Amino acid sequence: MKHPLLNEDSKHYSMFDGIEAIERMEQMFSIDDLMSWAKLTAMKYRLRIGKKDECSKEVAKIKTYEEYYVYLKNKKEFK
């Protein structure tokens, strides 16, 4: 499965050493920590839907973080 949060077009998350912020987070935190973060972030977007960005943009963000949760779950199960 392709990493849901890595996007070649979004270099604003690239750090000074070329590592993406999410890659650094994956080095620093456990899979369980990251799964909790993904679940909470998806819920944050659900709770604010329609209040900041267009609903379709918010739904895309929700889907991305839910996909990241599944990505991590699969990664954990195959360790």
Side-chain angles (χ1 to χ4, degrees):
M1 178 179 200
K2 182 178 170 253
H3 196 297
L5 295 182
L6 288 178
N7 181 348
E8 288 294 319
D9 298 328
S10 296
K11 286 300 176 188
H12 60 278
Y13 287 110
S14 243
M15 299 172 60
F16 66 91
D17 58 1
I19 300 287
E20 293 288 322
I22 190 63
E23 292 173 305
R24 182 71 73 223
M25 291 168 60
E26 288 172 349
Q27 293 170 350
M28 297 172 65
F29 298 99
S30 71
I31 289 178
D32 289 330
D33 290 338
L34 293 164
M35 287 174 72
S36 293
W37 174 73
K39 186 169 36 173
L40 291 166
T41 301
M43 180 54 71
K44 174 188 79 170
Y45 286 117
R46 285 183 181 282
L47 293 171
R48 79 167 200 200
I49 200 160
K51 294 180 181 156
K52 182 180 176 191
D53 295 321
E54 291 181 24
C55 287
S56 60
K57 189 173 180 181
E58 300 286 24
V59 168
K61 291 177 184 180
I62 293 165
K63 183 179 177 197
T64 298
Y65 283 97
E66 289 175 346
E67 287 173 357
Y68 184 56
Y69 180 88
V70 171
Y71 169 86
L72 293 168
K73 185 177 177 186
N74 288 338
K75 192 173 178 180
K76 183 178 176 179
E77 289 174 358
F78 292 110
K79 262 194 163 183

